[in-house]
Amino acid sequence: MQNNFELNGLWFLPNSAETQLSGKISFSQENGIILELLGNFNNPEKLLKDSTNEIILGILENGKKVTLLNNATTSKTINFPGIPTTKYMSLYMLIGEHFIDKKDLIFDEISSEYHNLSEWLDISGIEEKNSNFKQFNLHYSLPEEINFDINDSMMKFRFSANTKSDDIKSFILNQKTEFIIQKEKPIEIFDLLKESLIFQGFLTFGTFESCYPKIIKLKNSNIYESYKEYKISRQIDLYYKSKINRSKKQKNSLEFLFTYDDIKNNFKSVIDKWYKYDLEIEPIIYLFLNSFYSYNTIFSENKFLEIIHALETFHRRTFKNHVLDKAEYRNKKQIIVDSVPEEHKAWLKDKLSFGNEPSLKERLVELLSEVSKYRIVGKIIKDNEEFIKQVRDSRNYYTHYDISMEKKALNNSDLYYLTIKLRIILIIHLLISLGIEDEKIDQILQKLEDYHYNFLIG
């Protein structure tokens, strides 16, 4: 998915295979999937009418079949005399098979090569043996697969290798790593893709950098090529324009928040909890990961609001979300509502609906108390009360922009530092939630301090 390309082909609609148009398909992460046709699928009398076609099929010059999904006309020309042209933008492209109907888009395997996956795993089959000044001896063995199951999905890290040599001056061995999800029965394409993207989020958290798929391949065991007595599943390549920031830099493992080796002993439990928490606290995960995925790297008060919203939601979903016993509060509320005139009851009931929820201050007190044992917290927050006041005043101002609160709110670099501190608190809570041991969390946080946020430590 990271390589740009342009290919010529013939294109047609599923119900009109006899009407084929010449055209060019192009793909890039900047522009997405663009189909440029010589001609128009519309009837001659409707040439000017914009059209959307859920599925467009094609056959490339190399003979491969293509299915384009969710296609919208972006421009068209009509020349007299001449040939009309049409340009489509497509959301998804599958190369390797024709799918006539969306209900046919079911698969039982997805494999992805992710940016930074090999570096995060840090597992190599290369071993140096008995080298000296006159000879350099390398031995390579393909690493064994790492298998683990999440719910009804069989997942694995699979390694492969290829070599290239000119027989005289150079020999290149390239090891690749894929993350693979397999199902017993085919499921809908976007459900399978979602499972893979959850792992992408975990990898982004671990590497502390936006991770993205470089290659995505799909398989359905019912779509295959026959070779002698064997059935070989056909590979379907998936392309789409990613909406996340794609870093080209290859990071050093020291810059990662944590590596596979850090959590290897309980990796199955950690990744299992990540998938579980993606269902339970998905908004928090999204808000946190958005800081890596966003193209907008300029700090603004919106980034502060995002992280405080993530922390509030995390507390609401994982801590006790009431101050009084629920039955006690219901009784108190009823007594208060009963004491006012009838015309005010509905208004008061509405106002008291969230009256039993902890305040932002109470949430922050509890969130801080849970992480105070970690060294980095004491280094970045010297006074809990003052810190909570700064967060509360800033949140109130940037939410309502009440001019009376403006002088109390932090801004510019002070607000940025406050946001980073809140982010560290959320990171610690996520690490705890994943079941990572305290000693290992301290080591991870030391790395966070040394390589990412040392400017905060005074």
Side-chain angles (χ1 to χ4, degrees), residues 208 287-288 290-292 296-311 364 368 380-381 387-388 390-392 394-395 398 409-428 448 452-453 455-456:
F208 224 57
L287 287 167
F288 175 69
N290 190 51
S291 59
F292 297 102
N296 182 13
T297 56
I298 299 172
F299 178 75
S300 71
E301 61 269 19
N302 288 332
K303 293 188 182 295
F304 163 75
L305 290 174
E306 276 187 2
I307 202 70
I308 191 62
H309 180 45
L311 274 167
L364 288 171
L368 279 173
I380 63 174
I381 301 173
F387 173 76
I388 290 170
Q390 290 174 343
V391 174
R392 185 184 59 192
S394 300
R395 196 283 303 265
Y398 290 112
L410 299 188
N411 54 40
N412 301 325
S413 61
D414 290 332
L415 186 65
Y416 171 72
Y417 293 143
L418 186 66
T419 303
I420 296 299
K421 291 174 183 179
L422 290 168
R423 194 175 190 221
I424 291 172
I425 293 169
L426 179 57
I427 287 169
I428 298 173
L448 193 69
H452 297 280
Y453 297 138
F455 57 86
L456 279 178

Side-chain angles (χ1 to χ4, degrees), residues 33-72:
I33 303 161
I34 304 295
L35 175 64
E36 298 175 80
L37 295 176
L38 285 174
N40 193 304
F41 288 130
N42 287 346
N43 296 327
E45 63 272 17
K46 296 180 180 178
L47 286 178
L48 291 174
K49 184 180 178 182
D50 283 342
S51 61
T52 58
N53 293 284
E54 198 169 51
I55 294 177
I56 296 176
L57 304 176
I59 300 175
L60 299 177
E61 56 191 285
N62 57 16
K64 289 188 177 181
K65 298 175 181 179
V66 180
T67 301
L68 303 178
L69 302 178
N70 299 357
N71 313 285

Side-chain angles (χ1 to χ4, degrees), residues 215 227 345 361 371 403 412:
I215 295 173
Y227 177 73
K345 289 184 187 294
K361 178 180 178 180
V371 300
I403 198 165
N412 301 325

Side-chain angles (χ1 to χ4, degrees), residues 370-434:
E370 290 284 319
V371 300
S372 59
K373 63 184 176 182
Y374 299 104
R375 295 188 299 267
I376 193 172
V377 177
K379 291 180 180 181
I380 63 174
I381 301 173
K382 305 297 184 184
D383 185 327
N384 282 10
E385 285 191 18
E386 178 62 20
F387 173 76
I388 290 170
K389 184 177 183 302
Q390 290 174 343
V391 174
R392 185 184 59 192
D393 290 344
S394 300
R395 196 283 303 265
N396 289 342
Y397 173 67
Y398 290 112
T399 300
H400 307 290
Y401 284 101
D402 186 332
I403 198 165
S404 66
M405 303 177 186
E406 185 173 8
K407 289 186 179 179
K408 295 181 180 180
L410 299 188
N411 54 40
N412 301 325
S413 61
D414 290 332
L415 186 65
Y416 171 72
Y417 293 143
L418 186 66
T419 303
I420 296 299
K421 291 174 183 179
L422 290 168
R423 194 175 190 221
I424 291 172
I425 293 169
L426 179 57
I427 287 169
I428 298 173
H429 276 286
L430 289 174
L431 292 171
I432 294 171
S433 298
L434 292 175

Side-chain angles (χ1 to χ4, degrees), residues 236-403:
I236 314 294
D237 298 318
L238 175 65
Y239 296 84
Y240 60 87
K241 181 181 179 181
S242 175
K243 296 180 180 178
I244 64 175
N245 183 26
R246 299 166 68 86
S247 171
K248 298 293 192 295
K249 180 191 172 190
Q250 209 71 53
K251 273 196 169 186
N252 184 296
S253 61
L254 290 174
E255 299 175 89
F256 296 161
L257 183 64
F258 59 86
T259 64
Y260 173 73
D261 192 61
D262 289 326
I263 58 173
K264 180 169 60 177
N265 293 338
N266 62 336
F267 171 73
K268 170 62 174 70
S269 171
V270 169
I271 193 66
D272 191 66
K273 286 178 180 174
W274 179 266
Y275 272 80
K276 174 188 171 189
Y277 275 115
D278 188 82
L279 295 174
E280 295 180 0
I281 59 171
E282 184 179 15
I284 298 101
I285 300 292
Y286 171 80
L287 287 167
F288 175 69
L289 295 178
N290 190 51
S291 59
F292 297 102
Y293 291 158
S294 175
Y295 279 96
N296 182 13
T297 56
I298 299 172
F299 178 75
S300 71
E301 61 269 19
N302 288 332
K303 293 188 182 295
F304 163 75
L305 290 174
E306 276 187 2
I307 202 70
I308 191 62
H309 180 45
L311 274 167
E312 282 188 280
T313 308
F314 181 84
H315 184 278
R316 179 175 286 109
R317 296 200 178 189
T318 61
F319 286 74
K320 187 177 75 171
N321 195 43
H322 53 272
V323 179
L324 300 175
D325 177 78
K326 291 181 180 180
E328 181 185 353
Y329 181 73
R330 277 196 303 271
N331 292 334
K332 281 180 179 281
K333 186 171 74 171
Q334 194 60 50
I335 291 169
I336 295 170
V337 171
D338 289 344
S339 69
V340 301
E342 190 65 35
E343 62 268 25
H344 301 314
K345 289 184 187 294
W347 175 84
L348 184 59
K349 250 185 178 178
D350 184 60
K351 290 295 180 183
L352 294 175
S353 296
F354 300 97
N356 198 30
E357 285 199 4
S359 65
L360 175 60
K361 178 180 178 180
E362 290 167 329
R363 294 187 193 280
L364 288 171
V365 166
E366 197 166 8
L367 287 167
L368 279 173
S369 69
E370 290 284 319
V371 300
S372 59
K373 63 184 176 182
Y374 299 104
R375 295 188 299 267
I376 193 172
V377 177
K379 291 180 180 181
I380 63 174
I381 301 173
K382 305 297 184 184
D383 185 327
N384 282 10
E385 285 191 18
E386 178 62 20
F387 173 76
I388 290 170
K389 184 177 183 302
Q390 290 174 343
V391 174
R392 185 184 59 192
D393 290 344
S394 300
R395 196 283 303 265
N396 289 342
Y397 173 67
Y398 290 112
T399 300
H400 307 290
Y401 284 101
D402 186 332
I403 198 165

